[in-house]
């Protein structure tokens, strides 16, 4: 509890309180300014997405002189955002479901069973967090080519799961170790096998940890650029970040189209962020501290 | 089946999918790339064994070392940009009022965006003709300060700093806030009774209390700097004139632009070795400090 030695200090330092209040006010102003500065690039993106090219050049800071909603319909069709969105949704959801299932099954075994190689297996998964993703691009490209998996959804889904497994196992098994031992004992007495313990007890009870893993995985898969860059070439299979990347070389192109396309790709992540803010913050912390 | 046998079967069946995927797509590629590094190979046709030639070429290539130095630049941006800014913000944002939570959320926001989006937005900010930075300088009457932020080889690597700091402050902020909230309230009271306030309290009590967390943050900066591929690839592709080349873009360009798969593999292996050395080195330094203190 905070017990304050009030009387002496407040009367003796009346002047310094005024200064401190002014200081606090200044801090607030600077903080708000800083937050606006961080948000500005995004606000600028959303506002500019409604401008026509002329407006974009002449008044980069102003509001649009007329709001062009057609930018979005053009981006949807012309820039192929519809296909890219669909591809991203398929790749992300398949990877997510498999990561969660395979990861929590492994986490269940690593946290609730005792066997000889347990420490070694756990260590093996932890080492994986130290391997820089980009250093595997070349060999993965060659492997996928020899397995004839280039230009398929599997080329993305398989490495996504593999790279997300260590953090998934780490987060979920840390959560599962906190359950009391009697949980399985009671279920075993009732005649439940391991599989039904896993499906009926462990999975539902671990939902908080699983949802953290799922949210982190969503952001990682949805935003990933390096793997599709190397493993996907076919326009009909391009994910959102890969389709957007073509705008990077295009000096002197259709800016309003580009910004509308960017906005379309950002909206799902922003929505997820607004809903799962706390989980994302804590999960990313856990993820980065371990990695 | 006996219970023991059933348990063992379950353990194996449950671990197998995770282990197979993980070994096949994370661990095996690392070893494969060190193997491919011994060959000269254009991706099609015959692979020619050339011993250590690729690896010695990597070590002799000036651009490889320039890329390495650029990676260190990114470490420096993180250590001297992200860490102090995040720490400062954490100190003023450690309470839980709605406005503080709102500020935290806005500062964290860029973390959830794709690097492609971040790279494109900052590409527009820095654009020499239509960029809002040069437009801003013009309207402030500072036209002489205008630069080709990403197109001038002398400036480009510095221009990379702000987007990287902007995008990655979030986790550090949360890390520091968590550490600050863990400082026991009695410390505050004791400091107040001893008359320690303001800066003195900050340097003599708060910072020493969270020194461990600051060290963790610095290690994170080092390992995080090796992940900066996407942003730079979108903004500059390592150019102009290799001025922003990173180890990862160097590897990409050698492999997929000029089709030297063997050489690219040798570079990949070097990246793994360098990053393990960096992480081991920083961990060692940090632990040694702890023993001394």
């Amino acid at each position: 509890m905070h017990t304050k030695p009030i009387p002496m200090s407040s009367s003796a330092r009346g002047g310094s309180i005024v200064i401190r209040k002014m200081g606090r006010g200044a801090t607030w102003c600077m903080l708000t300014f800083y937050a606006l500065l961080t948000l500005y690039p995004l606000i600028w993106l959303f506002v500019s997405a409604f401008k026509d090219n002329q407006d974009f050049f002449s008044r980069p800071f102003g509001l649009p002189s007329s709001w062009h909603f057609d930018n979005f319909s053009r981006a949807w069709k012309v820039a192929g955002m519809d296909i890219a969105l669909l591809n991203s949704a398929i790749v992300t959801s398949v990877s997510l479901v498999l990561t969660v299932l395979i990861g929590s099954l492994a986490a269940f075994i690593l946290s609730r069973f005792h066997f000889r190689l347990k420490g070694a297996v756990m260590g093996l998964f932890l080492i994986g967090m130290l391997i820089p993703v980009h250093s595997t691009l070349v060999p993965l490209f060659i492997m996928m080519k020899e397995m004839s998996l280039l230009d398929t959804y599997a080329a993305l889904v398989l490495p996504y799961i593999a790279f997300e497994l260590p953090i998934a196992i780490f987060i979920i098994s840390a959560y599962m170790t906190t359950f009391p031992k009697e949980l399985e004992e009671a279920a075993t007495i009732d005649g439940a096998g391991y599989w039904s313990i896993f499906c009926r007890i462990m999975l539902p009870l671990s939902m908080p940890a699983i949802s953290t893993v799922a949210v982190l995985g969503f952001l990682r898969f949805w935003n990933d650029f390096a793997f599709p860059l190397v493993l996907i070439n076919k326009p009909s299979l391009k994910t959102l970040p890969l389709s957007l990347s073509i705008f990077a070389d295009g000096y002197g192109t259709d800016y309003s189209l580009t910004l509308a396309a960017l906005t379309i790709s950002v909206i799902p992540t922003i929505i997820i962020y607004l809903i799962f803010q706390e989980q994302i913050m804590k999960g990313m912390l856990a993820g980065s501290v371990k990695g | 089946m006996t219970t023991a046998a059933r348990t063992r079967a379950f353990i194996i069946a449950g671990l197998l999918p995770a282990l197979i995927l993980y070994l096949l797509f994370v661990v095996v590629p690392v070893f494969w790339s060190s193997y491919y590094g011994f060959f000269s190979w254009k991706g099609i046709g015959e692979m020619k064994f050339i011993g250590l030639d690729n690896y010695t070429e990597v070590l002799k290539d000036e651009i490889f070392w320039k890329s390495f130095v650029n990676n260190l630049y990114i470490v420096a941006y993180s250590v001297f940009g992200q860490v102090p800014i995040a720490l400062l913000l954490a100190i003023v944002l450690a309470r839980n009022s709605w406005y503080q939570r709102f500020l935290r959320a806005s500062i964290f926001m860029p973390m959830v965006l794709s690097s492609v989006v971040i790279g494109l937005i900052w590409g527009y900010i820095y654009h020499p003709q239509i960029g809002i930075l040069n437009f801003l300088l013009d309207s402030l009457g500072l036209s002489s300060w205008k630069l080709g932020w990403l197109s001038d080889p002398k400036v480009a690597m510095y221009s990379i700093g702000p987007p990287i700091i902007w995008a990655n402050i979030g986790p550090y902020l949360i890390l520091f806030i968590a550490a600050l909230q863990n400082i026991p309230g009695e410390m505050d009271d004791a400091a107040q009774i001893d008359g320690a306030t303001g800066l003195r309290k900050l340097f003599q009590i708060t910072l020493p209390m969270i020194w461990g967390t600051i060290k963790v943050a610095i290690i994170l900066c080092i390992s995080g700097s090796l992940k900066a591929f996407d942003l730079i690839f979108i903004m500059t592709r390592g150019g102009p004139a290799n001025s922003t080349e990173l180890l990862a873009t160097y590897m990409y360009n050698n492999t997929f632009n000029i089709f030297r798969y063997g050489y690219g593999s040798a570079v990949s292996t070097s990246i793994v070795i360098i990053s393990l050395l960096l992480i081991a080195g920083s961990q060692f330094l940090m632990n040694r400090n702890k023993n001394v203190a």
Side-chain angles (χ1 to χ4, degrees), chain B residues 54-81:
Chain B
N54 281 330
Y55 290 97
T56 47
E57 193 187 336
V58 170
L59 293 178
K60 278 187 196 149
D61 190 4
E62 272 174 43
I63 301 175
F64 174 79
W65 290 108
K66 188 175 177 53
S67 317
F68 176 66
V69 171
N70 282 340
N71 267 87
L72 295 183
Y73 264 94
I74 294 188
V75 175
Y77 293 147
S78 321
V79 173
F80 300 108

Side-chain angles (χ1 to χ4, degrees), chain A residues 1 32 34-35 38 57 60-61 109 124 128 132 134-135 139 141-143 145 194 223 230 249 251 255 258 273 288, chain B residues 7 14 22 24 29 36 43 99 103 105 108 112 114 124 127 130 135 166 169 189 220 229 237 256 261 268 272 275:
Chain A
M1 280 304 290
T32 310
Y34 184 86
T38 3
F57 292 122
F61 295 106
I109 288 163
L124 187 67
H134 303 120
S135 67
F141 172 80
I142 299 172
M143 279 171 65
K145 198 172 164 179
Y194 292 130
N223 288 335
V230 170
D249 349 323
Y251 272 56
Y255 295 107
T258 313
Y273 177 60
S288 57
Chain B
T7 308
Y22 173 72
L24 198 57
Y36 283 128
Y99 191 60
L103 291 176
F108 196 90
V112 302
S114 161
Y124 283 121
H127 196 288
I130 57 156
F135 190 93
W166 177 74
I169 272 191
D189 300 340
L220 285 184
F229 170 80
R237 302 225 161 188
F256 298 105
Y261 288 89
S268 303
V272 176
S275 58

Side-chain angles (χ1 to χ4, degrees), chain A residues 215-249:
Chain A
V215 168
L216 287 185
F218 168 82
L219 290 175
R220 185 99 61 115
F221 304 150
W222 187 266
N223 288 335
D224 181 62
F225 172 59
F227 283 124
L229 174 70
V230 170
L231 302 172
I232 298 291
N233 217 345
K234 230 193 247 170
S236 62
L237 289 178
K238 286 187 174 176
T239 57
L240 271 174
L242 188 61
S243 331
L244 291 175
S245 71
I246 55 160
F247 296 121
D249 349 323

Side-chain angles (χ1 to χ4, degrees), chain B residues 198-251:
Chain B
L199 282 181
R200 212 170 132 224
K201 185 178 141 205
L202 177 68
F203 281 106
Q204 298 195 329
I205 294 164
T206 314
L207 287 187
M209 287 291 287
I210 62 166
W211 187 236
T213 311
I214 297 177
K215 289 198 288 196
V216 170
I218 292 173
I219 293 178
L220 285 184
C221 290
I222 294 170
S223 55
S225 77
L226 296 153
K227 296 176 194 150
F229 170 80
D230 313 18
L231 194 64
I232 297 224
F233 186 86
I234 291 295
M235 283 170 51
T236 64
R237 302 225 161 188
N242 303 108
S243 58
T244 58
E245 202 81 76
L246 296 182
L247 292 171
T249 58
Y250 177 74
M251 173 216 74

Side-chain angles (χ1 to χ4, degrees), chain B residues 77 126 147-161 240 243-244:
Chain B
Y77 293 147
Y126 283 141
L147 287 170
W149 300 103
L150 292 174
S151 49
D152 182 343
K154 286 198 209 77
V155 194
M157 197 57 214
Y158 301 105
S159 306
I160 298 293
S243 58
T244 58

